[in-house]
């Protein structure tokens, strides 16, 4: 039963990521910015062939390799933690985020990013990046919770 919930979460996040990216590409010109909440959030259509802050820009093969390894490791841990709901959710978010950006890299050779925080110097990101971040935070909470229960 838990794997069905995981699969639904992963599919929903990947679908949301791809839908938002498609909408951005169709409605906001490349490099253009649309203010959503003045001084807080804008939508900016950019292409990123690197990681955050364009680190490792143009290293597409490296990202293919890293993502394949990450998906395998995350899938393994998703299987190993069955029945531990917080681990399952965190790993599902991370897996969905990795897959969302991987689809872009395979299909487009770059990742579409769009969310720009206007109040801080932070990389423009997408739904998949957000899912990865939520997954890491939840994993951290699961680990702390487990340590607290054991201690």
């Amino acid at each position: 039963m838990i794997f069905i919930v995981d699969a639904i979460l992963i599919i929903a996040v990947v679908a949301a990521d791809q839908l938002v990216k498609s909408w951005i590409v169709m409605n906001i010109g490349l490099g253009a910015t649309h203010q959503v909440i003045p001084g807080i959030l804008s939508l900016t259509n950019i292409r990123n062939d690197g990681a955050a802050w364009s680190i490792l820009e143009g290293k597409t093969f490296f990202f293919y390799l890293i993502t394949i390894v990450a998906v395998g490791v995350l899938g393994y841990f998703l299987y190993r933690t069955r029945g531990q709901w917080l681990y399952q959710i965190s790993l599902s978010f991370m897996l969905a985020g990795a897959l969302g950006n991987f689809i872009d890299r395979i299909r487009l050779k770059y990742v579409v990013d769009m969310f720009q925080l206007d109040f801080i110097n932070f990389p423009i990101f997408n739904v998949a990046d957000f899912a990865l971040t939520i997954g890491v935070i939840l994993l951290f909470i699961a680990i702390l919770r487990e340590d607290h229960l054991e201690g």
Side-chain angles (χ1 to χ4, degrees):
M1 177 65 180
I2 192 76
F3 285 119
I4 294 170
V5 174
D6 296 330
I8 290 169
L9 177 60
I10 292 166
I11 291 167
V13 170
V14 170
D17 177 65
Q18 293 299 303
L19 287 170
V20 170
K21 288 172 178 175
S22 292
W23 186 90
I24 290 295
V25 168
M26 290 187 308
N27 293 286
I28 299 177
L30 185 60
T33 299
H34 242 352
Q35 225 176 34
V36 177
I37 304 171
I40 297 176
L41 178 69
S42 295
L43 296 176
T44 302
N45 179 0
I46 66 165
R47 295 175 179 173
N48 184 359
D49 66 349
W53 287 285
S54 296
I55 297 170
L56 300 171
E57 195 170 8
K59 306 292 186 206
T60 307
F61 181 76
F62 174 75
F63 287 111
Y64 292 159
L65 184 62
I66 289 297
T67 304
I68 290 167
V69 170
V71 166
V73 169
L74 289 168
Y76 170 76
F77 282 115
L78 190 63
Y79 174 76
R80 293 282 303 178
T81 59
R82 62 191 178 277
Q84 299 174 45
W85 67 272
L86 193 52
Y87 281 105
Q88 296 281 157
I89 292 169
S90 68
L91 293 165
S92 294
F93 271 113
M94 290 190 292
L95 192 53
L99 289 171
N101 283 338
F102 191 58
I103 290 168
D104 279 15
R105 290 188 195 284
I106 294 289
R107 195 170 60 87
L108 305 169
K109 306 294 187 245
Y110 57 85
V111 173
V112 176
D113 287 331
M114 76 285 301
F115 297 115
Q116 180 175 332
L117 301 177
D118 297 329
F119 60 92
I120 189 171
N121 181 19
F122 193 78
I124 298 172
F125 58 97
N126 58 42
V127 174
D129 299 333
F130 186 67
L132 280 163
T133 302
I134 293 299
V136 169
I137 291 168
L138 290 175
L139 181 62
F140 185 69
I141 291 169
I143 292 168
L144 287 176
R145 189 170 166 241
E146 187 174 286
D147 286 347
H148 177 71
L149 293 175
E150 288 177 1

